[in-house]
Amino acid sequence: MVNYNPKTVSTDYDEADRLYFENISLKTILDIYDTECSLSLILSMGGQTPNNIALPLYRQNVTIYGTSPEMIDTAENCYKFSCLLDKISVDQPFGRSSPALKRLSPAMNVVATGNDLINYLTQATAVPRDHPVVITKYIKQAKEIEMDAIAKDGKMIMHYISEHIENAAVHSGNATLIHPPQDLDPVTVRQIEEATAKIGNALNVTGRFNIQFISKDNEINAIECNLCATQSFPFMSKATGIDAIEMATKVTIDLHQLAVADHVLGVEMASTGEVACFEKDKYEAYIKGLISSGIVLPKKNILFSIGSDREKHELLPTIQKLHAAGYNIFVTTGTADFLQEHNVPHKASTHVPSTLSFNLSLRLVSRNPWARHVRHAKERILLHYALLNLA
């Protein structure tokens, strides 16, 4: 194993026969490959960096197990992947002439005006030409869905579907996922399964792969396909009790038997700080997840600072229920006017502190859409109902 991230290696350092704590680059991997007299490499258990050197390794006559380097490049190259989706009739956010979302690794920015676009494109001049700017349409109020699957020679043999609580545009690594999905229409689920099968077949995938979809009004759009490790894959293994990594490895190297693996899966992903929790419904699972993460829930005081009118109306029923359950409602000026109109008792505050003690109050709604703990209306409503269950 080659891994230079201490977070991911610290808990699993003894899993491999030999661990190289080295930076992943073409030269380093070739040196290790020669030193170990290796017969092949597996790239799909790593992240983005191994995929970036798939083609250069292939050109150096390195044998790579799993999906071919040419197909890895097709999935990684936004233009090639877009053309592939068009060819197999899988919808995607309209992008090549509709500037709305500028995707520039490692940043992603929402562009609302012509001046915004000029500003961000000016910044992009500092980016190497082999990392072009990609512009796609940003779909508002859409749900993001994760599809984790395993395929053999392009044929899908198993899959997991999970849904994000937050609306689309929150990075998967920061999102809150639920499995099995609770709010997806069966029509949407069927469309995602069919689209995944098409993409896996077109890329002739062997091993694990992940596809991110956007769904709105029972219409799905494929965002990207990752032929590498993703944050959701180990979570799905823990949630279902099925060691998907072992299955993907057997498929990748075409072996019928591997050494006996440890099938006892823990609750916390210690190496990344993520938490997986299990309960009878999504509300209790979510509240348990917050508590497991070290967040102390409010006992009597909750502060709201809600932005748009749409979110105010969306959250009104839960605010009313929280008040009825005995919570003291604190709000900022704009939210106070709204609650006054709807006869919800509250205490107005003209100042929102930058930090709040979670044993006294919890800042459920923030002017900052990327608030650390609770980011979007659906997530806030989920937490509200969970708090009501504790009241």
Side-chain angles (χ1 to χ4, degrees):
M1 176 183 287
V2 184
N3 192 324
Y4 64 97
N5 186 344
K7 289 183 178 180
T8 56
V9 173
S10 60
T11 57
D12 304 310
Y13 61 89
D14 57 348
E15 288 296 309
D17 296 323
R18 188 142 41 241
L19 169 65
Y20 285 88
F21 195 75
E22 298 284 350
N23 184 48
I24 296 177
S25 66
L26 179 62
K27 182 181 185 303
T28 300
I29 299 303
L30 288 174
D31 287 345
I32 296 173
Y33 190 82
D34 291 338
T35 299
E36 293 288 343
C37 299
S38 302
L39 298 177
S40 61
L41 291 178
I42 296 177
L43 303 179
S44 59
M45 301 304 173
Q48 186 70 48
T49 306
N51 276 2
N52 291 341
I53 60 174
L55 272 180
L57 286 169
Y58 178 71
R59 290 167 183 152
Q60 294 293 324
N61 297 317
V62 171
T63 301
I64 296 174
Y65 279 158
T67 308
S68 71
E70 293 95 334
M71 290 296 99
I72 292 175
D73 179 65
T74 298
E76 293 292 329
N77 184 297
C78 293
Y79 178 76
K80 291 181 180 179
F81 185 62
S82 177
C83 292
L84 181 140
L85 293 180
D86 287 341
K87 183 178 180 180
I88 61 177
S89 300
V90 172
D91 291 335
Q92 58 186 305
F94 185 67
R96 275 168 281 185
S97 61
S98 177
L101 177 65
K102 184 183 76 68
R103 302 176 63 192
L104 174 61
S105 181
M108 180 172 69
N109 296 285
V110 177
V111 175
T113 67
N115 288 335
D116 287 344
L117 181 62
I118 293 173
N119 180 42
Y120 286 123
L121 289 178
T122 301
Q123 296 177 27
T125 58
V127 178
R129 290 184 177 274
D130 57 345
H131 292 87
V133 174
V134 178
I135 300 175
T136 57
K137 183 178 181 179
Y138 176 64
I139 303 175
K140 295 182 178 180
Q141 304 303 315
K143 177 182 286 291
E144 187 162 339
I145 301 163
E146 298 273 346
M147 166 64 93
D148 290 286
I150 297 174
K152 172 67 174 175
D153 296 327
K155 182 179 181 181
M156 187 168 63
I157 59 177
M158 68 88 68
H159 69 274
Y160 301 121
I161 297 178
S162 56
E163 62 177 324
H164 289 208
I165 292 176
E166 301 86 359
N167 287 337
V170 174
H171 190 280
S172 296
N174 300 324
T176 308
L177 276 65
I178 293 182
H179 176 82
Q182 302 294 300
D183 300 314
L184 293 186
D185 189 284
V187 173
T188 299
V189 172
R190 185 174 66 254
Q191 290 176 339
I192 289 173
E193 291 172 339
E194 292 172 352
T196 301
K198 285 183 178 181
I199 294 172
N201 181 65
L203 293 172
N204 197 29
V205 174
T206 291
R208 62 188 287 182
F209 65 113
N210 164 278
I211 303 176
Q212 296 173 9
F213 292 93
I214 286 180
S215 171
K216 185 176 182 180
D217 300 329
N218 277 344
E219 294 182 1
I220 67 164
N221 288 268
I223 307 175
E224 62 181 1
C225 177
N226 301 295
L227 298 171
C228 60
T230 57
Q231 289 91 345
S232 55
F233 210 84
F235 174 75
M236 292 300 103
S237 291
K238 295 177 189 296
T240 61
I242 299 173
D243 193 337
I245 292 297
E246 182 183 22
M247 183 183 299
T249 304
K250 287 181 178 180
V251 167
T252 300
I253 62 179
D254 199 20
L255 289 181
H256 297 291
Q257 295 292 333
L258 289 177
V260 176
D262 181 5
H263 291 277
V264 179
L265 300 172
V267 171
E268 183 176 3
M269 300 179 193
S271 61
T272 58
E274 297 172 353
V275 173
C277 291
F278 306 85
E279 264 301 343
K280 61 183 180 181
D281 59 44
K282 61 181 179 181
Y283 305 115
E284 294 191 16
Y286 185 69
I287 208 77
K288 182 185 286 187
L290 291 179
I291 295 172
S292 300
S293 301
I295 295 175
V296 180
L297 299 176
K299 296 181 179 179
K300 61 178 182 178
N301 302 324
I302 302 177
L303 171 64
F304 289 87
S305 177
I306 311 174
S308 67
D309 288 338
R310 181 190 59 78
E311 288 196 334
K312 287 184 174 69
H313 284 92
E314 189 175 0
L315 292 171
L316 178 60
T318 54
I319 295 175
Q320 293 170 329
K321 292 178 180 179
L322 286 170
H323 170 72
Y327 286 94
N328 297 322
I329 306 300
F330 292 83
V331 294
T332 50
T333 305
T335 306
D337 294 339
F338 176 79
L339 294 186
Q340 186 70 37
E341 294 175 6
H342 292 83
N343 300 315
V344 178
H346 60 275
K347 297 180 181 180
S349 172
T350 57
H351 174 68
V352 178
S354 58
T355 59
L356 292 171
S357 175
F358 277 89
N359 62 350
L360 294 176
S361 57
L362 176 64
R363 185 178 180 179
L364 289 177
V365 186
S366 169
R367 286 196 180 97
N368 178 2
W370 311 105
R372 177 181 178 186
H373 293 297
V374 185
R375 293 173 288 272
H376 287 280
K378 290 182 180 178
E379 187 176 10
R380 293 191 288 265
I381 290 175
L382 191 62
L383 178 54
H384 295 170
Y385 278 107
L387 289 172
L388 288 173
N389 290 337
L390 295 181

